[in-house]
């Protein structure tokens, strides 16, 4: 919808007719906010909706809800949609096609059961189903499968709703794809202190049901009682429809586009968001990093270009942040595993500091880890774990990664200081100093 809005803004309703097909009930909403609505931090579902279908229609965009596109015919330049409410088939021709199908949740075979009480968390419709189930069934025991972003956020939501929560993660530590194991260990410890039982190296083999609803989650070490199961096993680019139509798909499974978000080799076809692959600025490799920040920027770029302007999307460095209860976790750039895979030789530095001056009320501990290239000292990545006011420091580190700064250059950064906001040496600067020492010692 960001692409549609940008294109409409540039060309106006007289020069560009826009039809938007949406399978669900909502448009332009914050999927990232769903766990916080379920947990009660956000009061109303409607607060997550940035722009309703009616608002889009008033702006001249023909939004058709509950219409699922089932085929794309590039030769005839038309899409085929199924009307999920009225039935029947709808065919719509196009001059420009914007493919923005997002990502699909990973759902193992053992989770493919019609039993009630098993939920994914991908759309606002999914969130509504979970919210309704919690209100109606009043479950007591939740099992969250998967310790990534959605998993830890939904574990928090369940705790806030008063449930006993077990988080199952098959890796040695939670958030294994996001942070390094040493940082993940800090996350596991902090999550456990919030009352969430964390089971790592956990491999789910099945789900037991009774009376048409979930009863247990089965693992090799035993079964766990569950009144509700939430799947947080990651997502894949939703590119099947594109691939069937002959739209090129890359090695990550995402649609291939150029910097202007044009689909490679097909005139008038564009793609953006969680369904595409993009370029990692540090490695140059294609990556699939599904985040709302990327999706909105890419949609805007596509819309400007569809509307006759010029814009490009340069790539990503994987900056992300989340929280579990009072714990904040953030990362940018490369983890050790990613840096090693890309062929970098590197050093690491980990420091513990406080969010404010140590004597100022409310000062909280945080841990910052930096990864720097061994020879040049260029910052390759950073990770942060801490309490209130810790995680947003990742933005300063993301700017440093984006601009190829060395850790030695970072030691002189003119960062703000006052006791309520930071120690006189901000944790970012302390980490940069320690990383600089590590680089010098490695020479």
């Amino acid at each position: 919808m960001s692409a549609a809005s940008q294109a409409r803004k540039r060309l106006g309703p007289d020069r560009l007719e826009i039809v938007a097909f949406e399978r669900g009930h909502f448009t332009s909403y914050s999927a990232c906010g769903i766990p916080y609505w379920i947990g009660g931090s956000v009061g109303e579902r409607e607060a997550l909706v940035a722009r309703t279908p009616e608002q889009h229609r008033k702006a001249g965009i023909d939004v058709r809800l509950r219409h699922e596109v089932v085929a794309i015919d590039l030769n005839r330049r038309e899409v085929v949609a199924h009307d999920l409410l009225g039935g029947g088939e709808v065919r719509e021709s196009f001059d420009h096609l914007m493919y923005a199908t997002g990502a699909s949740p990973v759902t193992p075979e053992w989770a493919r059961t019609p039993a009630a009480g098993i939920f994914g968390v991908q759309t606002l419709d999914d969130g509504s189903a979970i919210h309704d189930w919690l209100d109606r069934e009043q479950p007591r025991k939740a099992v969250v499968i998967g310790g990534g972003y959605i998993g830890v956020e939904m574990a928090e939501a369940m705790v806030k709703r008063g449930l006993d929560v077990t988080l199952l993660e098959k890796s040695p530590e939670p958030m294994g794809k996001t942070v390094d194991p040493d940082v993940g260990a800090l996350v596991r410890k902090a999550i456990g202190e919030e009352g969430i039982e964390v089971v790592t190296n956990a491999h789910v083999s099945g789900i037991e049901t009774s009376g048409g609803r979930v009863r247990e989650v089965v693992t090799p070490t035993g079964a766990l009682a569950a009144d509700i199961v939430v799947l947080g096993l990651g997502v894949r680019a939703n590119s099947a429809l594109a691939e069937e139509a002959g739209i090129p798909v890359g090695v990550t499974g995402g649609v291939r586009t150029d910097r202007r978000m044009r689909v490679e080799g097909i005139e008038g076809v564009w793609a953006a968001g969680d369904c595409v692959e993009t370029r990692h600025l540090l490695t140059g490799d294609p990556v699939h990093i599904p985040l709302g920040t990327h999706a909105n920027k890419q949609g805007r770029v596509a819309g400007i270009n569809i509307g006759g302007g010029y814009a490009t999307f340069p790539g990503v460095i994987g900056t992300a942040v989340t929280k579990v209860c009072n714990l904040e976790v953030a990362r940018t750039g490369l983890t050790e595993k990613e840096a090693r895979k890309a062929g970098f030789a590197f050093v690491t530095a980990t420091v513990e500091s406080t969010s404010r001056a140590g004597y100022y009320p409310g000062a909280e501990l945080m841990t910052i880890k930096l990864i720097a290239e061994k020879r040049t000292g260029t910052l390759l990545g950073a990770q942060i774990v801490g309490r209130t006011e810790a995680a947003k420091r990742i933005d300063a580190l993301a700017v440093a990664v984006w601009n190829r700064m060395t850790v030695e250059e970072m030691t002189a950064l003119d960062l703000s200081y006052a006791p309520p906001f930071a120690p006189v040496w901000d944790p970012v600067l302390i980490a940069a100093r320690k990383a600089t020492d590590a680089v010098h010692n490695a020479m």
Side-chain angles (χ1 to χ4, degrees):
M1 298 312 294
S2 60
S5 297
Q6 282 293 326
R8 163 67 72 233
K9 189 182 297 183
R10 289 183 166 268
L11 290 179
D14 296 333
R15 296 178 58 196
L16 185 67
E17 178 188 358
I18 301 178
V19 177
F21 289 111
E22 166 55 44
R23 172 171 65 186
H25 294 84
F26 306 94
T27 58
S28 300
Y29 59 86
S30 172
C32 301
I34 292 171
Y36 305 108
W37 167 53
I38 291 173
S41 297
V42 176
E44 299 294 334
R45 181 182 66 187
E46 286 65 31
L48 303 181
V49 178
R51 190 167 295 177
T52 65
E54 291 74 19
Q55 289 172 313
H56 281 302
R57 289 170 186 141
K58 286 180 180 178
I61 299 170
D62 180 5
V63 176
R64 303 183 189 178
L65 297 179
R66 307 295 289 142
H67 279 70
E68 181 176 9
V69 174
V70 295
I72 301 169
D73 190 328
L74 294 177
N75 292 324
R76 300 180 65 174
R77 307 288 284 185
E78 68 178 17
V79 298
V80 181
H82 178 60
D83 184 345
L84 299 176
L85 291 180
E89 182 181 276
V90 177
R91 289 181 174 266
E92 192 73 41
S93 61
F94 63 84
D95 298 305
H96 291 275
L97 173 67
M98 179 68 200
Y99 188 89
T101 54
S104 300
V106 174
T107 308
E109 192 60 40
W110 51 258
R112 300 178 189 275
T113 168
I118 304 169
F119 300 94
V121 192
Q122 189 67 19
T123 66
L124 195 48
D125 288 302
D126 296 334
S128 296
I130 296 172
H131 201 284
D132 291 346
W133 177 268
L134 293 173
D135 288 345
R136 184 177 66 251
E137 303 296 332
Q138 297 292 304
R140 292 183 297 173
K141 178 66 178 177
V143 175
V144 179
I145 304 175
Y149 293 115
I150 287 295
V152 297
E153 289 166 4
M154 286 303 299
E156 173 188 8
M158 295 295 145
V159 165
K160 285 196 165 189
R161 291 291 292 256
L163 279 71
D164 294 329
V165 181
T166 300
L167 176 67
L168 302 180
E169 168 55 44
K170 67 178 180 180
S171 300
E173 301 294 350
M175 305 196 75
K177 293 182 179 179
T178 301
V179 297
D180 290 317
D182 54 340
V183 178
L186 299 176
V187 175
R188 173 168 51 83
K189 181 176 182 293
I191 291 176
E193 291 172 352
E194 299 292 347
I196 299 169
E197 182 182 358
V198 182
V199 181
T200 55
N201 297 304
H203 294 270
V204 177
S205 56
I207 292 179
E208 293 292 335
T209 64
S210 175
R213 57 192 295 160
V214 64
R215 297 299 181 188
E216 292 180 330
V217 174
V218 181
T219 74
T221 57
L224 298 167
D227 302 313
I228 180 172
V229 173
V230 179
L231 304 177
L233 297 168
V235 296
R236 298 188 180 98
N238 189 358
S239 57
L241 190 63
E243 197 165 16
E244 291 171 6
I247 292 173
V249 172
V251 294
T252 69
V255 174
R256 292 206 314 263
T257 68
D258 62 17
R259 288 171 178 256
R260 298 183 70 191
M261 307 314 299
R262 296 180 299 192
V263 168
E264 293 183 359
I266 305 176
E267 186 66 29
V269 179
W270 312 76
D274 293 355
C275 63
V276 306
E277 70 177 20
T278 188
R279 185 174 69 97
H280 200 291
L281 289 181
L282 292 178
T283 66
D285 294 331
V287 290
H288 179 244
I289 302 178
L291 292 171
T293 49
H294 304 161
N296 276 279
K297 292 170 189 171
Q298 291 170 350
R300 181 176 183 275
V301 166
I304 289 171
N305 289 314
I306 291 171
Y310 180 81
T312 61
F313 183 78
V316 301
I317 56 173
T319 307
V321 64
T322 190
K323 69 179 283 291
V324 190
C325 299
N326 292 320
L327 180 73
E328 300 178 356
V329 186
R331 60 79 51 92
T332 190
L334 304 175
T335 62
E336 285 192 45
K337 181 179 179 181
E338 292 164 345
R340 196 172 291 113
K341 181 180 178 182
F344 286 105
F346 57 86
V347 298
T348 68
T350 302
V351 301
E352 189 177 80
S353 184
T354 55
S355 57
R356 305 174 179 179
Y359 56 80
Y360 193 88
E364 296 275 8
L365 288 175
M366 73 175 73
T367 300
I368 296 185
K369 177 178 181 178
L370 300 186
I371 300 170
E373 190 176 13
K374 194 172 185 178
R375 182 177 62 83
T376 67
T378 302
L379 183 65
L380 298 176
Q383 298 160 43
I384 299 176
V385 177
R387 302 290 175 176
T388 305
E389 301 171 1
K392 283 298 282 181
R393 280 178 164 86
I394 204 70
D395 289 339
L397 295 162
V399 171
V401 171
W402 188 275
N403 288 285
R404 308 294 204 278
M405 292 184 70
T406 67
V407 288
E408 188 163 11
E409 288 172 330
M410 289 170 58
T411 62
L413 284 173
D414 190 5
L415 302 183
S416 62
Y417 160 68
F421 303 105
V424 67
W425 281 95
D426 189 273
V428 168
L429 300 179
I430 298 173
R433 283 166 44 191
K434 187 170 182 179
T436 299
D437 291 343
V439 171
H440 290 165
N441 292 336
M443 288 181 176

